[in-house]
């Protein structure tokens, strides 16, 4: 299957953002709805994308080779779990302030306050929530449900390699 320049560019987005959701691609591609994204994926990129067990969109290994883009998440050395995540600067800062897997998980507001206290960042609560959810999809962060959802690292900090995307 030969891809247009637009399709190749959009496939690169899927590889970079994986695992991702329709809404993330909708924002990236300036589409009107998640249905438009779904239609595009099934019509133009069906040979190179699939949905995993959690209905998240992923690219095939062939797709990553085709577009020569580093995937958003790579498995650890043992092939099990996350080894490397490629994230934004805000997401990297969130990783730095979150407790480890044995620590007490933090609410979105607590993460926001920690970012403001420990870094020179002043994000709004929606940016922090979005960063936490993205890291959760990448399996770098886990959620614990108490009175509100709370978050902590899913693995020891030293077992996670964080690369900041340009």
């Amino acid at each position: 299957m030969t891809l247009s320049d637009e399709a190749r560019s959009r496939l690169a987005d899927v590889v970079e953002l994986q695992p991702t959701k329709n809404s993330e691609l909708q924002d990236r591609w300036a589409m009107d709805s998640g249905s438009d994204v779904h239609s595009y994926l099934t019509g133009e990129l069906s040979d190179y994308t699939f949905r995993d067990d959690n209905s998240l969109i992923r690219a095939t290994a062939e797709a990553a080779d085709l577009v020569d883009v580093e995937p958003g998440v790579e498995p650890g050395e043992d092939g099990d779990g996350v080894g490397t995540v490629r994230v934004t600067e805000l997401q990297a800062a969130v990783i730095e302030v979150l407790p480890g897997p044995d620590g007490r998980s933090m609410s979105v507001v607590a993460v926001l306050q920690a970012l403001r206290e420990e870094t020179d960042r002043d994000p709004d609560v929606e940016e922090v929530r979005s960063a936490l959810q993205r890291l959760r999809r990448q399996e770098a962060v886990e959620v614990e449900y108490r009175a509100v959802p709370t978050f902590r690292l899913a693995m020891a900090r030293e077992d996670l390699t964080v690369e900041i995307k340009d």
Side-chain angles (χ1 to χ4, degrees):
M1 179 175 178
T2 304
L3 295 176
S4 67
D5 289 343
E6 176 185 58
R8 187 178 295 274
S9 174
R10 288 182 173 180
L11 182 58
D13 290 338
V14 174
V15 171
E16 176 189 343
L17 294 172
Q18 71 179 318
T20 190
K21 305 184 315 181
N22 284 6
S23 61
E24 227 173 3
L25 294 173
Q26 177 185 341
D27 292 343
R28 175 72 68 102
W29 298 344
M31 289 187 160
D32 292 331
S33 70
S35 295
D36 291 343
V37 171
H38 176 77
S39 294
Y40 191 88
L41 291 171
T42 56
E44 299 293 323
L45 301 177
S46 62
D47 290 344
Y48 302 104
T49 61
F50 64 96
R51 294 210 180 246
D52 66 15
D53 295 340
N54 296 318
S55 295
L56 296 173
I57 303 162
R58 293 186 183 263
T60 64
E62 180 185 0
D65 292 340
L66 182 67
V67 296
D68 196 30
V69 171
E70 296 288 333
V73 62
E74 291 184 17
E77 289 181 16
D78 59 2
D80 194 30
V82 175
T84 301
V85 290
R86 291 180 182 82
V87 297
T88 65
E89 289 184 14
L90 176 60
Q91 292 162 354
V94 167
I95 288 171
E96 287 301 313
V97 301
L98 279 176
D102 296 328
R104 182 166 169 80
S105 56
M106 298 168 64
S107 70
V108 174
V109 172
V111 173
L112 172 64
Q113 291 170 340
L115 284 168
R116 288 176 174 167
E117 290 173 12
E118 298 177 29
T119 71
D120 60 352
R121 298 187 169 282
D122 187 22
D124 65 39
V125 71
E126 285 306 314
E127 290 173 312
V128 173
R129 181 176 287 113
S130 176
L132 285 163
Q133 292 300 333
R134 176 81 182 123
L135 292 166
R136 180 180 179 199
R137 285 193 304 277
Q138 290 180 309
E139 299 178 4
V141 168
E142 63 186 12
V143 66
E144 177 183 0
Y145 293 96
R146 296 195 310 246
V148 296
T150 58
F151 301 84
R152 68 174 155 246
L153 294 177
M155 69 210 59
R157 196 173 311 281
E158 59 271 8
D159 294 339
L160 181 64
T161 301
V162 177
E163 294 180 3
I164 297 176
K165 300 185 288 190
D166 294 333

